[in-house]
Amino acid sequence: IKGDQISASIAAASILAKTYRDRLMSELDKIYPGYGFAKHAGYGTRAHFDALKTYGACAIHRKSFRGVIQE
């Protein structure tokens, strides 16, 4: 918990992971248009849940995730 505040290497890894995820989600947005992955990066925003209601889960959604099951 709060490791990025204690360790520079943890903070750097966190930044790299977020940058990678943002780029990946932008690419997945092109493959799965309509879900808004480039904008919300797959986080549980209202827009993401609205897209799930409209389109259902796509191949990259974790089917075991409570938010996907409920929508």
Side-chain angles (χ1 to χ4, degrees), residues 49 53 65-71:
F49 289 120
K53 284 181 183 175
F65 182 64
R66 182 182 47 131
V68 172
I69 293 169
Q70 289 175 340
E71 299 300 333

Side-chain angles (χ1 to χ4, degrees), residues 13-58:
S14 177
I15 292 167
L16 289 173
K18 177 154 180 22
T19 302
Y20 174 80
R21 179 184 171 81
D22 289 349
R23 287 182 186 158
L24 175 63
M25 296 310 290
S26 289
E27 290 301 312
L28 290 170
D29 188 64
K30 296 172 188 171
I31 298 169
Y32 301 102
Y35 288 94
F37 291 134
K39 188 170 184 177
H40 57 65
Y43 291 104
T45 63
R46 182 75 267 162
H48 190 174
F49 289 120
D50 289 346
L52 280 170
K53 284 181 183 175
T54 302
Y55 304 111
C58 70

